[in-house]
């Protein structure tokens, strides 16, 4: 099965991607479930930066 079918399923739906690549939606879901997603073992030094404008708000 093409990797692009799995990418298309991430952007749309399993049903749409399976029709586009002429495979069953159940097969696409099984392949999606078998994928391993790499996660970082160490958190980055900065998680997020949020803007805050201080001052009176009342």
């Amino acid at each position: 099965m093409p990797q692009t079918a799995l990418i298309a399923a991430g952007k749309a739906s399993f049903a749409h991607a399976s029709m586009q690549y002429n495979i069953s939606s159940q097969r696409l879901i099984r392949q999606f479930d078998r994928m391993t997603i790499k996660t970082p073992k160490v958190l980055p030094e900065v998680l997020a930066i949020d803007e805050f404008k201080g001052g009176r708000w009342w």
Side-chain angles (χ1 to χ4, degrees), residues 9-24:
K11 294 180 180 177
S13 67
F14 286 115
H16 178 74
S18 64
M19 284 188 294
Q20 185 177 0
Y21 290 96
N22 198 24
I23 56 175
S24 71

Side-chain angles (χ1 to χ4, degrees), residues 6-54:
L6 293 172
I7 294 169
K11 294 180 180 177
S13 67
F14 286 115
H16 178 74
S18 64
M19 284 188 294
Q20 185 177 0
Y21 290 96
N22 198 24
I23 56 175
S24 71
S25 58
Q26 283 301 316
R27 181 177 175 193
L28 186 58
I29 291 170
R30 281 195 304 271
Q31 291 292 356
F32 194 81
D33 288 340
R34 290 181 188 151
M35 286 180 53
T36 56
I37 300 172
K38 295 180 184 179
T39 57
K41 298 195 186 289
V42 179
L43 291 175
E45 188 174 331
V46 177
L47 293 176
I49 299 174
D50 192 11
E51 293 182 25
F52 175 75
K53 187 173 183 178

